[in-house]
Amino acid sequence: MQTREGARLRQIREGAGWRHWGPYLSDRQWGTVREDYSAKGDAWTYLTHDDARSRAYRWGEDAIAGFGDEKLRWCMGLALWNGQDPILKERLFGLNNSEGNHGEDVKELYYYLDATPTHSYLRMLYKYPQGRYPYERLVEENARRGQDAPEFELVDTGLFDDGRYFDVFVEYAKAAPDDILMRVRVLNRGPDTASVSVLPQFWARNDWSWAPDITKPVMQADAAGQVRLSHPRTGPMRLAVEHADALLFCENETNVVRLYGERISGFFKDGINDYLVRGQRDAVNPEQRGSKCAALHTLSLAPGEERALRLRLRPEPAQSGEFGDDAFADFDAVFAARREEADEFYAALQAADSDADSRLVQRQALAGMIWSKQLYDYDVRLWLEGDAAGPKPPPGRGDIRNGDWQHVHASEIISMPDKWEYPWFASWDLALQCPVLALVDPDFAKDQLLLLTREWFTHPNAALPAYEWSFSDANPPLHAWSAWRVFEIDRALNAAPDHHFLKRVFNKLTMNFTWWVNRKDASGRNIFQGGFLGLDNIAIFDRSSPLPTGGELSQSDGTAWMAMYALSMLRIAIEIALQDSAFEDVAAKFFEHFLLIAAAEGNSLWDEQDQFFYDQLGFPDGRRIPLRARSMVGLIPLFATTVLSGAEVDRLPQLKAQMTWFLKNRPDLAQLVSHWTVPGEGDTVLISLLRTHRLTAILARMLDETEFLSPGGVRAVSKFHEHQPYRLDRDGKSFELNYWPGESESRLFGGNSNWRGPVWMPVNYLLIESLLRQYRYYGDALTVELPRGSGRQANLHDIACELSRRLVSLFTRGADGRRPVHGDYPLLQNDPHFRDLVLFYEYYHGDTGRGVGASHQTGWSGLVASLIHRLNGHDYSHWTRPGST
């Protein structure tokens, strides 16, 4: 983009450090696997929210509106106290997995409103109640409720009635890559004058308590009321604070008195909390030095009054007067410039979108994704063995979790699904995040995809790590699909194909593909397992555990994911082979893999009676039972499709000869997949798991509003099962799958996730992509009824657009002025200070569109930004619809 923010992105390629500082703190470091040193692997209870204010973290940091350098040597964030809370509000509160009636859940109201990809400007909003925060009530009420009851949320407590809360806006702007401006704006929304203590905080991550002979960083107030920062691994810095009532100092070190009953004195991590909330004046250092500092501002605000606080962190000048005496002389001008540049950047991105509300949704979705970057630090070997200066961890921890992943040595900035609910990467989440991130920062997206293929992440056996709770689990293999999409977007935005990136990721994924073939095809039939594969409770039993019925499960989705993987690798190999003919052979190999997998799926898992794909239960005596549950498992075969141009195939004679050979000599493999020798619209070649008959049969069911099609997209389980649950009786045991459109009604996979009826953005997005690819082949020659029973015919492009509009409508205001995502909360729907604040949930109610699950999971609900972009004419692929731009 030819904008000033776009220029900064280009400067990064030349070595500029615009990404060196960013929103890299977690929203929740407590309760994570990395911080868990328990004997039984119970991360949630080993380090709790109550412990967090007093215990120094080993592997990261968390904060409200956290911001720091890329190794978190220096961190900054926000703390608040309304005079009534039992503790300082310096991190987000939520219930752990066992406390919530649907698993873990953050119980705060906060919104990521704006962000540029270089973090030159960031803005978020935290809504802080003026009344006492109901920690105990939230725990007790959610514990009282069963899984058939809704969750008890902070907005249900009445604390926000009559506007009795503060809107606290936190903004960051960069005057230079390492010159950080922080502005905190506090606004009283209530009807009465109210007081609040606002404490911007600055601290050094504790890296000195775990090993001997590490020099501790120091922050020291000077005579001018500024703070000098000294760190052994960075240059000296200076913090300027405007009009603070006091500067409070303590150490970012564990309070062993409170937690372990030791009898020593010190200025511990919770010293600022104890000084302000408990009145312990000796909890902070009177010499005004330490590794943690807070700038205390005590405000009394009349109704509607707003106050702004200004702070600035920048390198210590090489000589006196280099920056001028007043750190705030250009402060407001820098903020105004960065906001203007952010507006310019998004105006260029959204130039084709005339709808202000969809622009708002897209911008907040992208802001959430940019704010969700986090330093992920995890050395598994060191975590298992323990630090030199720390206590020895309990033996056998490697048998509980990640013992065979000791090569993992992560210390990287990674895009997280949700920095509170999921403050760790997941391989398929990351693959889905990258095409969205590529809209604004394709270089960062490419780096993210390459990262998991590096030696310090990928297992020596070529498996990609799934997520920290179990690196060995299998996530859907979407890396190749994502790499191709990011390559296409990058090529369109930068007018140059990055074949170097494509070759690097392809070489690594070739080994990973082989791992899948060798490890997840138990019987050698090209029918794949893989466990839950990200779809949690979609099956009638836990697919990641030994089957309670005995036997072996052949997974329709696992097999289809592999067919899609083979086609994505084929697509990449063809692109590379067009530049380097040596890759033709490997392209032919992936074509063969696809045929073998497709034939197995088509022959074994297609149910002719129901015209649908099902998982299949096999027994040692050779009997096989189709599990006739109508779910996303049967729609995922739609994903396995790619479209080539005839000209591309003609330029690759070896590949073309191999395709012809299979058609003539292996008709058994070719008979169930698309006719790749029959040219389509514009001389295209379709390679797909589905021929036209099966494609239209599946679409008929998918587009039926009594089954899969909802007002907000495609459901993960057919509504048919609402009144006719699928039931399997075996050896005196019964297993059942019902339609649950909202929260899960079982504790399978923790209970916080539900694939038995809601709308899930990632699979909907992949369905839309598949339809668009197939439209390029079929054009207007293929139409189906949309919705089924309406009598209206639609081509595949129009179906994709209709699904996109339904998904976007979850977030935008309808004709009635309501956003479905907000559910039935009048405050969220109608209040002018809430109604345009959009949250991006993990999934959405299958009937109403209400947001459910993790409330800040732009990690894949941010895909709505791409849908909006595409609806406005941006496809970023070889082909677009005739007449489109």
Side-chain angles (χ1 to χ4, degrees):
M1 298 179 187
Q2 299 303 313
T3 63
R4 284 165 287 183
E5 175 67 9
R8 278 189 284 271
L9 288 169
R10 290 188 292 275
Q11 290 167 18
I12 291 173
R13 292 182 174 181
E14 299 166 2
W18 286 106
R19 288 205 204 101
H20 287 177
W21 289 77
Y24 299 148
L25 282 73
S26 180
D27 287 344
R28 174 177 63 81
Q29 186 70 14
W30 58 272
T32 61
V33 166
R34 281 153 287 150
E35 300 292 343
D36 175 28
Y37 285 81
S38 66
K40 296 183 179 180
D42 189 352
W44 284 109
T45 59
Y46 179 76
L47 203 170
T48 66
H49 177 272
D50 189 53
D51 295 335
R53 71 178 182 274
S54 302
R55 189 187 296 188
Y57 293 130
R58 171 62 182 87
W59 297 102
E61 292 289 345
D62 59 18
I64 298 171
F67 194 89
D69 66 83
E70 58 192 352
K71 296 299 179 184
L72 300 188
R73 294 183 176 116
W74 292 117
C75 306
M76 47 210 299
L78 180 69
L80 301 160
W81 190 53
N82 57 15
Q84 301 189 55
D85 285 354
I87 58 175
L88 195 64
K89 176 66 71 173
E90 55 185 335
R91 60 183 45 82
L92 300 169
F93 174 74
L95 306 184
N96 69 32
N97 184 265
S98 63
E99 290 173 330
N101 61 325
H102 298 114
E104 63 265 28
D105 187 42
V106 67
K107 299 298 183 184
E108 305 273 14
L109 291 176
Y110 61 105
Y111 305 87
Y112 296 121
L113 301 178
D114 209 359
T116 58
T118 67
H119 325 124
S120 60
Y121 178 72
L122 298 171
R123 179 165 60 102
M124 66 89 67
L125 167 64
Y126 177 76
K127 289 183 176 284
Y128 186 44
Q130 294 172 3
R132 179 185 173 96
Y133 188 91
Y135 292 101
E136 299 86 354
R137 186 182 175 197
L138 287 166
V139 173
E140 292 166 2
E141 179 60 24
N142 279 284
R144 188 186 65 79
R145 297 188 178 195
Q147 288 187 276
D148 58 343
E151 297 173 10
F152 184 65
E153 304 291 2
L154 184 61
V155 73
D156 295 318
T157 65
L159 276 176
F160 294 90
D161 294 351
D162 303 320
R164 296 184 186 278
Y165 65 91
F166 299 102
D167 268 344
V168 184
F169 294 90
V170 182
E171 298 172 282
Y172 295 100
K174 294 181 183 179
D178 54 359
D179 186 349
I180 312 302
L181 286 64
M182 180 185 189
R183 181 166 63 189
V184 182
R185 296 188 298 116
V186 186
L187 198 157
N188 179 7
R189 295 292 186 194
D192 302 314
T193 297
S195 298
V196 62
S197 296
V198 184
L199 301 94
Q201 297 196 108
F202 301 81
W203 67 100
R205 177 185 170 193
N206 187 328
D207 62 359
W208 59 88
S209 293
W210 325 111
D213 303 323
I214 300 294
T215 302
K216 184 193 299 187
V218 176
M219 309 176 73
Q220 173 76 62
D222 65 14
Q226 297 189 354
V227 181
R228 298 178 184 272
L229 288 71
S230 174
H231 197 292
R233 282 172 294 286
T234 69
M237 301 192 76
R238 184 182 295 185
L239 171 66
V241 182
E242 187 179 50
H243 306 316
D245 298 318
L247 293 173
L248 308 175
F249 291 81
C250 62
E251 302 292 348
N252 185 17
E253 296 176 346
T254 298
N255 186 342
V256 294
V257 178
R258 174 180 180 249
L259 294 179
Y260 310 121
E262 296 187 19
R263 299 174 64 84
I264 65 172
S265 61
F267 307 109
F268 302 115
K269 179 180 177 181
D270 53 9
I272 295 165
N273 173 88
D274 293 348
Y275 171 90
L276 189 63
V277 179
R278 303 179 66 183
Q280 295 181 358
R281 293 299 183 259
D282 59 352
V284 298
N285 191 336
E287 296 181 3
Q288 291 199 304
R289 61 181 284 126
S291 52
K292 181 180 178 182
C293 168
L296 172 63
H297 301 75
T298 304
L299 308 181
S300 178
L301 301 177
E305 185 181 357
E306 177 180 335
R307 197 82 56 83
L309 315 181
R310 305 194 302 177
L311 305 98
R312 187 169 191 167
L313 179 65
R314 56 184 173 176
E316 186 77 50
Q319 55 189 10
S320 178
E322 180 179 337
F323 295 146
D325 295 330
D326 186 356
F328 302 101
D330 63 345
F331 190 96
D332 292 339
V334 170
F335 257 105
R338 295 298 175 262
R339 285 201 66 166
E340 179 184 283
E341 290 159 9
D343 290 342
E344 175 190 53
F345 180 79
Y346 283 104
L349 181 77
Q350 301 175 327
D353 191 350
S354 61
D355 185 89
D357 197 40
S358 73
R359 294 198 305 271
L360 176 147
V361 170
Q362 185 184 49
R363 189 159 174 174
Q364 289 189 29
L366 291 167
M369 297 200 73
I370 293 169
W371 270 95
S372 294
K373 297 176 184 178
Q374 177 186 310
L375 173 67
Y376 187 82
D377 199 12
Y378 188 22
D379 180 338
V380 173
R381 182 192 58 80
L382 188 57
W383 176 77
L384 289 171
E385 295 178 358
D387 291 291
K392 189 73 174 175
R397 294 172 69 244
D399 298 331
I400 299 172
R401 185 169 292 126
N402 298 334
D404 56 346
W405 289 79
Q406 294 190 40
H407 67 284
V408 171
H409 191 159
S411 186
E412 322 285 347
I413 302 301
I414 304 181
S415 175
M416 298 292 146
D418 177 326
K419 288 205 297 187
W420 194 94
E421 191 118 1
Y422 303 112
W424 31 260
F425 72 86
S427 60
W428 84 302
D429 295 61
L430 187 60
L432 288 155
Q433 290 153 219
C434 285
V436 187
L437 290 166
L439 295 178
V440 293
D441 192 351
D443 287 348
F444 180 77
K446 288 185 289 185
D447 289 343
Q448 293 286 284
L449 288 168
L450 288 168
L451 184 61
L452 291 198
T453 70
R454 301 305 299 270
E455 294 75 14
W456 54 92
F457 281 92
T458 296
H459 198 281
N461 67 16
L464 296 184
Y467 44 81
E468 68 177 27
W469 288 91
S470 178
F471 281 145
S472 294
D473 272 357
N475 275 185
L478 286 178
H479 237 65
W481 164 82
S482 183
W484 176 250
R485 288 299 291 130
V486 168
F487 170 81
E488 289 186 302
I489 294 167
D490 180 47
R491 174 169 54 186
L493 291 177
N494 291 306
D498 189 349
H499 290 118
H500 179 69
F501 156 73
L502 209 56
K503 286 181 180 180
R504 287 183 67 193
V505 74
F506 178 79
N507 288 337
K508 293 297 186 73
L509 292 180
T510 297
M511 293 183 282
N512 177 252
F513 185 91
T514 302
W515 174 84
W516 271 93
V517 170
N518 291 337
R519 297 294 183 96
K520 295 300 179 181
D521 179 13
S523 60
R525 298 185 298 123
N526 292 295
I527 298 290
F528 290 83
Q529 293 79 45
F532 79 106
L533 283 173
L535 307 190
D536 294 8
N537 66 342
I538 201 166
I540 56 174
F541 33 64
D542 182 351
R543 301 190 297 177
S544 289
S545 301
L547 300 180
T549 59
E552 172 189 296
L553 186 66
S554 297
Q555 293 182 217
S556 173
D557 56 331
T559 306
W561 286 123
M562 282 302 293
M564 178 187 180
Y565 194 176
L567 287 182
S568 297
M569 293 295 280
L570 170 64
R571 176 64 266 187
I572 295 173
I574 287 173
E575 176 66 29
I576 300 172
L578 291 171
Q579 321 302 319
D580 183 349
S581 61
F583 281 79
E584 275 196 74
D585 289 338
V586 72
K589 186 62 178 175
F590 282 111
F591 179 70
E592 178 186 11
H593 272 298
F594 165 72
L595 289 180
L596 292 167
I597 297 167
E601 172 103 15
N603 283 315
S604 300
L605 303 178
W606 174 257
D607 189 273
E608 195 63 36
Q609 173 185 322
D610 287 1
Q611 298 284 286
F612 204 64
F613 286 101
Y614 296 120
D615 283 351
Q616 194 176 85
L617 192 58
F619 298 96
D621 61 8
R623 289 177 300 116
R624 298 192 175 276
I625 301 173
L627 302 179
R628 289 193 168 90
R630 301 179 191 172
S631 75
M632 186 60 65
V633 163
L635 300 181
I636 288 176
L638 285 166
F639 300 168
T641 179
T642 194
V643 176
L644 312 172
S645 72
E648 285 179 321
V649 177
D650 289 340
R651 288 176 56 192
L652 301 173
Q654 293 182 53
L655 174 62
K656 187 173 184 179
Q658 189 80 344
M659 296 170 72
T660 302
W661 186 93
F662 274 107
L663 188 63
K664 293 176 63 176
N665 296 284
R666 293 297 306 273
D668 56 311
L669 298 181
Q671 63 181 347
L672 295 177
V673 301
S674 58
H675 295 287
W676 66 80
T677 56
V678 178
E681 189 86 5
D683 192 33
T684 50
V685 175
L686 175 67
I687 305 177
S688 173
L689 192 63
L690 306 176
R691 284 192 175 178
T692 308
H693 167 71
R694 289 186 178 180
L695 171 63
T696 54
I698 291 175
L699 289 178
R701 199 179 292 280
M702 187 183 88
L703 300 176
D704 188 334
E705 292 178 319
T706 67
E707 290 220 34
F708 285 98
L709 186 60
S710 83
V714 176
R715 303 176 175 107
V717 163
S718 171
K719 195 174 172 66
F720 169 83
H721 292 305
E722 183 175 29
H723 302 296
Q724 300 183 60
Y726 173 72
R727 183 183 179 96
L728 174 69
D729 296 310
R730 181 76 185 173
D731 298 331
K733 300 176 182 177
S734 293
F735 307 92
E736 192 169 272
L737 182 140
N738 303 72
Y739 172 72
W740 298 334
E743 291 84 354
S744 175
E745 297 182 23
S746 84
R747 273 286 179 179
L748 194 62
F749 283 90
N752 64 326
S753 178
N754 180 30
W755 282 82
R756 296 189 175 186
V759 172
W760 286 78
M761 185 69 70
V763 285
N764 271 263
Y765 185 85
L766 293 172
L767 285 169
I768 290 166
E769 283 233 328
S770 174
L771 292 170
L772 290 172
R773 286 195 298 270
Q774 296 191 69
Y775 173 78
R776 293 169 189 144
Y777 175 80
Y778 286 109
D780 295 330
L782 177 64
T783 62
V784 296
E785 220 175 3
L786 175 67
R788 188 178 185 180
S790 67
R792 298 190 299 272
Q793 294 291 310
N795 62 41
L796 300 183
H797 177 276
D798 292 342
I799 294 170
C801 289
E802 175 61 20
L803 293 180
S804 298
R805 282 189 287 268
R806 290 187 182 218
L807 290 160
V808 171
S809 75
L810 293 168
F811 308 96
T812 54
R813 287 195 203 174
D816 58 358
R818 301 177 77 256
R819 300 184 193 275
V821 66
H822 285 335
D824 292 327
Y825 285 107
L827 178 70
L828 305 185
Q829 294 286 7
N830 303 322
D831 189 287
H833 304 304
F834 278 90
R835 65 190 181 196
D836 289 334
L837 303 173
V838 182
L839 291 177
F840 300 89
Y841 285 81
E842 187 176 5
Y843 52 100
Y844 303 87
H845 194 285
D847 295 333
T848 68
R850 170 177 59 88
V852 191
S855 56
H856 292 75
Q857 194 160 348
T858 46
W860 54 30
S861 282
L863 288 161
V864 69
S866 287
L867 295 177
I868 290 170
H869 213 52
R870 185 179 281 135
L871 284 172
N872 286 285
H874 299 283
D875 191 10
Y876 295 149
S877 62
H878 278 310
W879 299 277
T880 54
R881 188 178 186 190
S884 67
T885 57

